[in-house]
Amino acid sequence: MAGGPGRVVVTRRIPDAAVDVLREVADVWWPEPDRQLTVGELHAALDGADGAVVTLRDPVDEAFADAAGERLRVVATVAVGYDNIDVPALTGRGVTVAHTPGVLTEATADLTFGLLLSVTRRLGEGERLLRSRTPWEFHLGFMLGTGLQGKTLGIVGLGQIGRAVARRARAFGMEIVYTGRRRAPADVEAELDARPLSLDGLLATSDVVSLHCPLTAETRHLIDADALAAMKPTAFLLNTTRGPVVDEGALARALADGTIAGAGLDVFEREPEVHPGLLERDNVALAPHLGSATVETRTAMATLAARNVAAVLRGTTPPTPVRK
Ligand code: DGY
């Protein structure tokens, strides 16, 4: 690196294995104690940085690049989604943007299925009943849920995570339909026995709708009041991608008035806030953005982000740049 050893800003604590990768090419700075930096703190920390490892909570925009200055060469997010990053603003200055596709696919699909089972089999509701010490007894009509065998799963966005969810669903005896920007390759359709549909067709057909599209201007509020009204009243909605893909107020109303049967949500429109109308409902399974939250997956994500930074600072090709 020209003009010194280089400095990489890491906005949240990452596993030692990932820090070691960064230390091979640069001095590494992170906040002590670990905390979410304010925008002002972030910008101050970036001054003169060659690279940055960020999370989905850090706004990466023109002001971020200005704060870093002209040494900045790479920003790597520890996430597959990069809706918090103004990619053209960075790449327009010659800064590489990288993300972490692939390594969180299975963990996120597992969590999606966990939410599906939780809401359809009323696991959270049952646990709340027990923990509240409410008297109960087994009988044949007690807390009946909904089975998945023979039901149709509609995947919105049949990318890596959508496919991994579909594979799990096949093992549960579900049929797969999907919609997306483009048709999936023939071998993917064949493996999953997946049928392409329009969004309207998918909403009308599916017993479970699972969202796996990225958050973009086109997908913001993709699931609004009209989309919810187009779903079956017996259907469930799963969101493990980004909160703003769903109009949360409309979803709370749809769950309250029986427009749909239930929802499983890992992400929220205004994280960490959750719409109060969702918190009070038993037909919603909730998780605090845990899709990739396993030790193994987060270590793999952080290490991949670090490898992206190290590659750019060495002048080689990063493994997983954002391609736009
Ligand atoms: C991602 O990678 O985009 C997830 O939301 C965070 O794990």
Side-chain angles (χ1 to χ4, degrees):
M1 263 158 300
R7 194 168 74 90
V8 172
V9 168
V10 179
T11 65
R12 294 305 299 249
R13 186 84 178 92
I14 54 174
D16 289 346
V19 175
D20 290 346
V21 172
L22 294 171
R23 284 207 170 118
E24 286 173 18
V25 294
D27 292 334
V28 184
W29 180 93
W30 63 80
E32 287 284 7
D34 178 43
R35 65 186 189 287
Q36 181 64 38
L37 296 171
T38 64
V39 172
E41 289 173 326
L42 173 63
H43 289 177
L46 285 166
D47 186 17
D50 298 270
V53 175
V54 302
T55 79
L56 53 84
R57 297 198 56 199
D58 299 312
V60 181
D61 49 15
E62 296 278 4
F64 180 107
D66 286 342
E70 59 193 25
R71 287 183 62 108
L72 186 67
R73 291 167 63 194
V74 55
V75 176
T77 184
V78 188
V80 65
Y82 49 85
D83 44 281
N84 59 314
I85 302 180
D86 182 344
V87 177
L90 277 277
T91 53
R93 299 176 185 225
V95 177
T96 299
V97 176
H99 65 146
T100 61
V103 292
L104 49 85
T105 303
E106 304 303 329
T108 307
D110 288 346
L111 196 280
T112 306
F113 234 82
L115 287 172
L116 175 56
L117 290 172
S118 181
V119 67
T120 54
R121 300 304 303 274
R122 304 172 65 176
L123 297 177
E125 188 184 348
E127 183 169 350
R128 286 190 290 280
L129 177 100
L130 294 180
R131 288 185 188 275
S132 68
R133 296 180 165 75
T134 304
W136 66 283
E137 61 179 14
F138 175 90
H139 63 86
L140 294 178
F142 181 56
M143 288 199 74
L144 299 186
T146 301
L148 299 177
Q149 180 83 30
K151 301 285 170 62
T152 298
L153 172 65
I155 301 265
V156 179
L158 196 64
Q160 293 187 47
I161 296 172
R163 292 173 201 182
V165 171
R167 275 185 209 108
R168 284 155 179 74
R170 292 293 293 158
F172 277 73
M174 299 184 81
E175 305 295 326
I176 310 298
V177 297
Y178 75 95
T179 193
R181 271 179 304 178
R182 61 185 78 87
R183 191 154 176 181
D187 60 326
V188 172
E189 282 190 2
E191 179 207 344
L192 302 170
D193 202 6
R195 202 157 45 92
L197 286 178
S198 65
L199 178 62
D200 288 349
L202 178 142
L203 293 172
T205 307
S206 301
D207 300 295
V208 178
V209 173
S210 195
L211 305 175
H212 301 288
C213 53
L215 173 62
T216 63
E218 291 76 42
T219 63
R220 186 173 292 274
H221 283 195
L222 183 73
I223 304 300
D224 58 8
D226 289 342
L228 291 161
M231 289 172 64
K232 297 181 186 178
T234 50
F236 295 85
L237 176 72
L238 303 174
N239 189 7
T240 56
T241 178
R242 285 291 182 268
V245 174
V246 176
D247 177 343
E248 220 168 72
L251 176 60
R253 287 190 293 279
L255 289 163
D257 68 17
T259 301
I260 65 169
L265 306 172
D266 187 42
V267 290
F268 304 94
E269 207 175 336
R270 282 169 283 277
E271 285 180 25
E273 264 177 59
V274 180
H275 192 291
L278 299 174
L279 291 172
E280 65 199 25
R281 299 221 54 82
D282 262 335
N283 56 347
V284 191
L286 299 167
H289 206 145
L290 296 179
S292 65
T294 69
V295 172
E296 297 84 349
T297 300
R298 287 284 164 81
T299 302
M301 291 166 72
T303 306
L304 180 53
R307 286 174 51 223
N308 276 305
V309 169
V312 173
L313 296 190
R314 285 198 177 99
T316 59
T317 307
T320 50
V322 169
R323 296 183 201 282
K324 269 220 157 164

